[in-house]
Amino acid sequence: MNDSLTNITGIGPRTLEQLETMGIHTIKDLLEYFPFRYEDHAIRPLSEVQHDERVTVRGTVHSEPNLRFFGKKKSRLTVRVLVDGLLVQGIFFNQPYLKKHVKLGEEIIFSGKFDRHRLMITGGTMKTQDASSQGLEPVYSVKGNIKVYHLRKYIKQAFEQYRNQMCENLPEQLLTTYKLLNRREALYNLHFPSSAKQLIQAKRRMSYEELLLFQLKMQYFRKKEREADEGQAKKIDDDMVETFVHELPFPLTNAQTRVLKEIIDDLTSDYRMNRLLQGDVGSGKTVIAACALFAVVRSGFQGALMVPTEILAEQHLSSLKDLLEPFDMKVALLSGSARVKERREILHQLESGDINIIVGTHALIQEGVNFHNLGLVITDEQHRFGVEQRRVLRRKGIRPDVLFMTATPIPRTLAISAFGDMDVSIIDEMPKGRKPIETHWAKPHMLSRVIDFMKKELKKGRQAYVICPLIEESDKLDVQNAIDVHAQLSQALSDHQVGLMHGRLHADEKEAVMNDFAENKINMLVSTTVVEVGVNVPNATVMVIYDAERFGLAQLHQLRGRVGRGSEQSYCILLADPKSDVGKERMKIMTETNDGFELSERDLELRGPGDFFGAKQSGLPEFKVANIVEDYRTLEVARQDAAKLIYSEVFWNGDDYKALKEALEAEGVFNNDKLD
Ligand code: ADP
Ligand code: MG
């Protein structure tokens, strides 16, 4: 399977070069270069075909074909054909050679786009009886001189020459349990589907294989990481933790209690915690972080809380101080804007162990920051605590327990793909007494009514956020926007204090603005998305978002989560005028649900996994056949199977699993360097 492609009859060095630009280097690559879609060429009666739809028809040639050339290369072939009692015009561009296949009175099969009004089928091509009886024609993405039909020819040839080398890699037992096609048959049907049914089976088989291999890899890493640990099993004093929880201003929800127990269990066990904590906005993750930090410090270690922004760091610092200082724990902030002397002092105290808990941005784990005995790192509101950061810690010789708290509920299917090597805890319950936020979608021309509404709330003593349009993330333009909106609203609400917040403010200024807002000295805060995550001002009841269609649903939900934190009814108003149907649908979804998990599922459906996380940031694996949205059930099954296999005797010793292990080996999974 790793043979060079030149072994295939018909592929010479020139073609090889071209294929290599498409990432096809070996026989295996060629066989696994799958079509990205299939065109359905099953012949259908014209009465069922919509305007502008692609169709394949069979008809009798009714007129002599008419071929015209335009310049050297362009041509148009027109022919009238009787199809299902209708006289339609078939028009073929730049395929003059088709003319010889068209004979008056004979039958032809051809495809194209159907123009219902003018009875034309255009832009298609002629089909042989053979192609149309198969019904499905694979479409490949191709480059340069390689055309789809070349590729089909090479693949067919590869099947002929290498048929006997195409081995099964799944054990018999799995094939029978799930009634899966064998590998060769599945591959063949992906390229040359004999029917739609067979194609589905072929895809099912290959997705399972892909997802199983992927999950085996993740589970293997997870196992390895667990075993690799010298074990920093902490002695947690359960009674002390209980006392701490008891002293909180509120009882924990059931979900919080459950999650805290999962975390404490990890801390006390002798493998390293690698846990993702998911909880909707406002579900109370911070207090869980505080409990975990408390437990770790009590057992003699230091803790760190990493957050994405300085504003959030400030805020966490103050809530952690409130909760932990009464227990004689020293909490400090390592801020990017600290004075040199101050910073040196903090670094010194971190190294000596005088500081128990440090809060800061990711700069916390950079060079020059040394800990006395770091036992727990918590990251808040970040999608990904990169492999890179874990590596930095490991290089320093520390293997602390790690807890990731994510702001954005991630659909389960994405969570177990992107974070497949992690344990997952979910807070799926809101603290009691919260009133659901009312969300409204307003068109821009209703702005004055929205302003009146804000006035009314401010008169009652409440506060409001106004989030400005996102033009380009963290760019000058965003700031200018905020400044403009701030000027406009300051005028409209001259009886009130309107504050301004954006990324270009100095850290001191930001802090001052946030403090004034927290104390209601500022009644309304106009801001860019810097307040997106984590900020907690319970008296704020209104969130107005300009140009809401520019934001992702997850982000809108995050922004909305800044209100509804107190006992008063809160409101979120989306000022938006989306043009597309998807855009409108997204605004509607926002008004329909307050549940971050439901929202994320629907967002995923609308946008697909690629866009879900934004940019290439996702850390999501790329699959050739599997689609983690459509194949989420398979993904679940594969995950369970993988988790079982990785700890089973037969997997490591049984002959049945040899091929599977070889496939993993080929991907470099067992190459332990990857872990360090
Ligand atoms: P998030 O999960 O979005 O980070 P926070 O931790 O900021 O949420 O919590 C939101 C608010 O809910 C905070 O004001 C916090 O004090 C409060 N809170 C957390 N847990 C509870 C609870 N069990 N009962 C009542 N209020 C709670
Ligand atoms: Mg939070």
Side-chain angles (χ1 to χ4, degrees), residues 234 267 273 292-293 296 302-304 374-378 400-403:
K234 302 176 176 76
L267 292 173
M273 172 163 72
L293 289 166
V296 164
Q302 289 172 301
L374 183 62
L376 171 66
V377 176
I378 303 181
D401 286 307
V402 179
L403 179 69

Side-chain angles (χ1 to χ4, degrees), residues 26 41-42 56 82 112 157 177 220 242 331 333 379 382 398 400 419 433 446 457 478 569 588 635:
T26 62
H41 290 304
T56 300
L82 196 60
Q157 186 62 32
T177 309
Y220 175 75
E242 206 156 296
V331 189
L333 176 75
T379 66
Q382 272 176 324
I398 18 183
F419 303 96
M446 291 155 78
E457 283 290 300
D478 285 358
Q569 177 62 53
K588 240 182 83 215
L635 181 64

